[in-house]
Amino acid sequence: MFKRAFYSSLALLLAAPALAKVEVVDGYVRLLPPGSPNTAAFMVLKNDADKSVKLVTVASPEAGRAELHTHLHENGVMKMRQVESIEIPARGEAVLKPGSLHVMLFEVRDLSQGTPFPLVLTLDDGQTLTLNLPVKPVEPAKGMQH
């Protein structure tokens, strides 16, 4: 009886799809510009699994709304657009950075440099990643003079 239960459990474990092993590296939320209720989060999503996975939703109790976004160049103008998902390739990474893919945060309630910002990422395999990201001020671009 024990043998049958053991082998049945083992078969179920082997048949179940393995969750991707996604790790968040160098994540942060940009400190709000004065007077703006919207900001963005940036990070590197590393996938150590043999199968790609997609980031499909983001949420935070400190934001009214959170969306996945990218920047596009149209007729010489940079425009921001919402995207349905961000693919994290197998044994690869997705880089969310200024001027590219990012998490857009709208109607942010509380944001200060000393307080980590909570963010929950949901992947298409059902996995969730609960983060507490540092808040960092906008750094001037290299080569800019003040």
Side-chain angles (χ1 to χ4, degrees):
M1 178 125 167
F2 174 75
K3 233 183 201 182
R4 182 181 297 160
F6 173 78
Y7 285 114
S8 294
S9 297
L10 183 61
L12 286 173
L13 285 173
L14 293 174
L19 293 178
K21 299 171 189 165
V22 175
E23 177 186 9
V24 176
V25 179
D26 297 329
Y28 70 97
V29 172
R30 183 177 51 205
L31 188 62
L32 287 171
S36 175
N38 305 330
T39 190
F42 308 103
M43 65 200 75
V44 177
L45 300 166
K46 294 187 175 199
N47 180 4
D48 290 336
D50 293 327
K51 184 178 177 186
S52 67
V53 67
K54 291 180 182 177
L55 173 60
V56 292
T57 62
V58 290
S60 174
E62 294 299 326
R65 188 170 87 244
E67 299 175 353
L68 302 172
H69 277 230
T70 192
H71 280 97
L72 303 172
H73 293 278
E74 292 179 357
N75 301 320
V77 177
M78 186 179 272
K79 297 180 179 182
M80 192 170 43
R81 295 285 185 254
Q82 185 175 5
V83 295
E84 287 186 26
S85 63
I86 296 174
E87 183 170 358
I88 311 161
R91 303 265 177 226
E93 62 186 31
V95 179
L96 284 63
K97 62 184 181 179
S100 183
L101 295 168
H102 60 281
V103 173
M104 194 69 206
L105 300 164
F106 297 95
E107 302 160 23
V108 175
R109 297 182 217 343
D110 187 29
L111 194 64
S112 65
Q113 248 181 296
T115 305
F117 189 86
L119 195 63
V120 178
L121 311 179
T122 303
L123 307 177
D124 66 347
D125 65 1
Q127 184 179 180
T128 59
L129 302 169
T130 301
L131 310 174
N132 284 299
L133 299 177
V135 177
K136 297 182 179 181
V138 176
E139 294 184 14
K142 290 181 181 176
M144 290 195 65
Q145 304 247 337
H146 296 286

